Amino acid sequence: MDKATEFLKQYLGKKIENSPSPFMNWLNPVMVSVEPGSLTFQYTVRKEMTNPFGTMHGGVTAAIIDDAIGATLISLGEPFFHVTVNLAIDYFAPAREGNEIIAISHIIKKGKQIVNAQCEVWTANKSKLLAKGYTNLIKTEIPKS
């Protein structure tokens, strides 16, 4: 097992509360699965994540997808940060306050500068696909410390 995957596996079954990303701390996921190029997180939909209809806000869904994919790059042991170039999301079904959902991310292709990835958001029991996002990220010159 490589160092990056080993590092992430220490968080299995735990809430992410001390991430260097304040936004991930706000999302407050539990790390469910770690593989090189793929992570699974579980989230509880909180009231502040919902819209006036009482369903999870589309922007929160987008943020979960973007954040999960960003964390997945850690599993590759990348020495530089990557930033999102684009993000396309298909929304299929709503989640409501109190629902448990999971986000499963996969790196599709890693080039020298560009990484292509996707993330699916499901009900916790995987009975319903809620959303699917696709993104490209570009490598920066900012080293990870």
Side-chain angles (χ1 to χ4, degrees):
M1 180 181 334
D2 62 58
K3 288 181 184 180
T5 303
E6 189 175 316
F7 168 77
L8 289 170
K9 284 198 174 194
Q10 71 180 323
Y11 296 102
L12 282 171
K14 298 177 183 172
K15 283 195 178 245
I16 307 298
E17 298 173 319
N18 294 331
S19 169
S21 166
F23 195 70
M24 179 171 268
N25 292 331
W26 182 82
L27 289 171
N28 202 18
V30 172
M31 180 82 73
V32 175
S33 172
V34 175
E35 297 298 329
S38 180
L39 298 179
T40 301
F41 293 99
Q42 183 166 344
Y43 305 81
T44 301
V45 179
R46 303 184 313 269
K47 184 172 182 69
E48 62 269 22
M49 295 173 154
T50 63
N51 60 28
F53 302 111
T55 60
M56 188 163 69
H57 192 288
V60 173
T61 304
I64 286 172
I65 289 169
D66 189 55
D67 211 53
I69 288 170
T72 304
L73 286 171
I74 294 170
S75 74
L76 299 178
E78 282 295 304
F80 294 94
F81 283 103
H82 287 66
V83 295
T84 302
V85 174
N86 61 357
L87 180 62
I89 301 169
D90 295 317
Y91 297 92
F92 302 115
R96 299 192 179 283
E97 181 181 351
N99 288 165
E100 297 291 326
I101 61 171
I102 59 171
I104 305 167
S105 61
H106 297 283
I107 303 300
I108 306 302
K109 183 174 187 317
K110 182 187 163 299
K112 290 180 183 177
Q113 296 294 319
I114 301 286
V115 174
N116 178 266
Q118 73 177 27
C119 182
E120 296 176 338
V121 179
W122 291 84
T123 54
N125 65 4
K126 281 196 84 178
S127 64
K128 189 180 285 187
L129 179 62
L130 305 175
K132 187 172 186 175
Y134 311 85
T135 189
N136 290 295
L137 304 101
I138 191 165
K139 183 170 81 173
T140 70
E141 297 296 321
I142 303 168
K144 292 181 180 175
S145 48

